[in-house]
Amino acid sequence: MTKLLDAFKKRQSAMLDLLTALVERESFTREKDSVDRLVDFLEARFHSLSPSSVQRFPQSDVGDFLLAKWNETAPGNPFLILAHGDTVHPTGALSSMPIRIEDGRFYGPGALDMKAGIVIALEAIRALQQSGQLPPRPIHFLLNTDEEIGSPHSEALIKDLAADCELALVMEPATKEGAIKTWRKGGGKYTLTIDGRAAHAGIAPQEGINAIIEFAQQALEINKLNDLKYGTSVSITLVEGGSAGNVIPAQVRAHIDTRVMTMSAMEDLQAALTNLYPKMPGAKVCCVRGHQRPPMERRPGLFEKVAEIGERQGLTLYEGGTGGGSDGNFTAAMGIPTLDGLGAHGDGAHAPHEHVIIDSLPRQATLIAAILREWALGD
Ligand SMILES: [Zn+2]
């Protein structure tokens, strides 16, 4: 066992205390006041680690964002640590899924996704700083609070910070198998609107244009865009239409969720979905793209480099990927080397059995500290 891992193992209970404090501060994305209480707590925590600066970005719709910088004036491109403070669990979830430790696992809402990731990154910085081993490079740590809704408010700030960074470290949980995420699918949301014409279903059905019948035909066409073998999925996930039981429906609205492995698949899908033509005379079909995250395509050589760093600490690393998106999708699509899934190991993100495998806390802190210390050596 190496010294770094030994030192972090001694910090395991301190890390669990911090994790408990973060999980106790429930932070559902849509509840700004409670998210801001977590942000207040973390702001103080950042200050306790003697950063060069801590900036708070006030938000009106979601919790405020925090940006802490160490070695602000050091030369070289910064490391960018990305973490989100929000969770998908509404306030009160703690009462139905209370914090508990069982069989080496820490249970609690948001523990895995990704409060443990925040703990790991803070602990890595603390240890490097106390031992005088922070790299002679700027380290930027961004905490946003809207990741679980696709980061609509923080996307611009993330991109701005990523533009000149050396490496983006995303503190999302590892895969269920404990692997680093080197690829993620991208995704886009679409809204399909079909307009027909209302008519009395008994007196004059022939005067109507049935938007549901038009939708049914479009749905079958849209379903054909699935190409699961190449990682493309197109799912109609929500439908609303019609106005009353005796009225030919004048309108249908549907939501479409798309996931892709590559930028080119994303562009092909967009072309197909925004060029749907009506099947029925007089019907109107309109499909509009909403929020979109580009895919994080696997970058050759990146995993190999981090695996070597891990190996020197006695850690064997694995790589994997996922269909879900993260803020790493934004940075990777900009061409910035991005390592994702660097947070805790565990299972049940977004679910009632969400938990962290406790001994992954010192393990991942070792990895983050080693990456920060050694990534740019020899540059
Ligand atoms: Zn997350």
Side-chain angles (χ1 to χ4, degrees):
M1 200 183 294
T2 64
K3 269 172 64 184
L4 213 44
L5 184 56
D6 277 342
F8 283 117
K9 284 195 167 183
K10 292 192 184 110
R11 294 280 304 167
Q12 185 165 293
S13 71
M15 292 175 82
L16 282 177
D17 288 348
L18 179 55
L19 180 56
T20 302
L22 300 190
V23 175
E24 279 172 351
R25 288 165 175 79
E26 292 185 274
S27 52
F28 177 44
T29 318
R30 302 287 184 190
E31 288 166 18
K32 176 176 169 59
D33 289 350
S34 39
V35 179
D36 278 341
R37 280 192 285 276
L38 175 77
V39 172
D40 293 342
F41 179 84
L42 283 169
E43 190 174 17
R45 199 80 191 187
F46 278 135
H47 278 293
S48 76
L49 297 175
S50 319
S52 314
S53 67
V54 180
Q55 257 177 291
R56 182 161 175 150
F57 296 83
Q59 300 296 310
S60 48
D61 296 337
V62 293
D64 296 348
F65 308 149
L66 292 175
L67 173 63
K69 296 180 175 177
W70 286 266
N71 287 347
E72 196 167 0
T73 55
N77 296 334
F79 293 106
L80 176 61
I81 297 172
L82 293 175
H84 65 83
D86 59 322
T87 79
V88 298
H89 302 280
T91 304
L94 257 182
S95 54
S96 61
M97 43 190 297
I99 292 172
R100 71 177 208 276
I101 291 177
E102 209 177 289
D103 295 335
R105 296 176 163 88
F106 179 107
Y107 290 80
L112 179 66
D113 187 10
M114 60 145 72
K115 288 175 173 174
I118 299 172
V119 171
I120 288 164
L122 286 174
E123 178 61 20
I125 290 172
R126 186 206 60 78
L128 289 177
Q129 192 172 51
Q130 284 194 354
S131 57
Q133 298 185 78
L134 272 184
R137 290 254 178 169
I139 296 174
H140 296 173
F141 189 146
L142 177 69
L143 181 99
N144 66 354
T145 57
D146 59 346
E147 196 277 341
E148 295 291 5
I149 54 170
S151 307
H153 307 280
S154 58
E155 179 180 344
L157 179 59
I158 292 168
K159 289 179 170 170
D160 200 38
L161 289 167
D164 69 340
C165 85
E166 166 82 23
L167 175 68
L169 302 168
V170 185
M171 300 311 298
E172 293 286 353
T175 70
K176 200 175 158 185
E177 296 75 26
I180 289 178
K181 293 166 180 167
T182 55
W183 59 265
R184 282 181 182 271
K185 286 189 184 181
K189 309 253 183 250
Y190 289 81
T191 304
L192 173 67
T193 307
I194 310 243
D195 285 300
R197 186 166 60 228
H200 193 296
I203 300 169
Q206 72 284 358
E207 287 175 13
I209 299 170
N210 191 323
I212 289 179
I213 299 302
E214 174 67 31
F215 168 73
Q217 298 172 73
Q218 294 295 338
L220 293 174
E221 289 300 315
I222 291 166
N223 199 47
K224 287 183 194 157
L225 297 171
N226 276 292
D227 194 353
L228 296 178
K229 210 169 98 195
Y230 292 99
T232 297
S233 64
V234 182
S235 309
I236 299 172
T237 48
L238 273 173
V239 180
E240 54 187 18
S243 56
N246 60 352
V247 177
I248 302 295
Q251 198 181 61
V252 170
R253 277 164 67 86
H255 291 260
I256 304 169
D257 176 292
T258 67
R259 308 284 167 144
V260 294
M261 291 289 286
T262 63
M263 241 6 250
S264 67
M266 181 166 258
E267 285 157 10
D268 290 350
L269 260 191
Q270 176 162 341
L273 285 170
T274 53
N275 285 297
L276 296 168
Y277 291 99
K279 306 278 185 186
M280 290 164 61
K284 288 195 188 103
V285 175
C286 177
C287 191
V288 178
R289 203 197 81 200
H291 189 260
Q292 163 168 291
R293 265 177 176 151
M296 177 171 114
E297 298 187 33
R298 187 184 184 279
R299 188 183 175 104
L302 191 57
F303 175 74
E304 291 74 7
K305 181 166 176 177
V306 72
E308 240 172 67
I309 291 173
E311 204 67 54
R312 286 200 288 276
Q313 299 303 324
L315 307 174
T316 305
L317 304 187
Y318 300 94
E319 68 174 319
T322 173
S326 85
D327 290 330
N329 290 60
F330 297 130
T331 58
M334 293 168 71
I336 302 301
T338 301
L339 290 167
D340 202 338
L342 292 171
H345 298 185
D347 196 10
H350 300 194
H353 65 295
E354 176 164 359
H355 64 265
V356 168
I357 294 171
I358 292 171
D359 64 17
S360 73
L361 298 175
R363 183 189 194 276
Q364 295 304 98
T366 300
L367 180 61
I368 299 299
I371 292 172
L372 291 174
R373 197 176 65 177
E374 294 164 26
W375 188 266
L377 287 182
D379 276 16

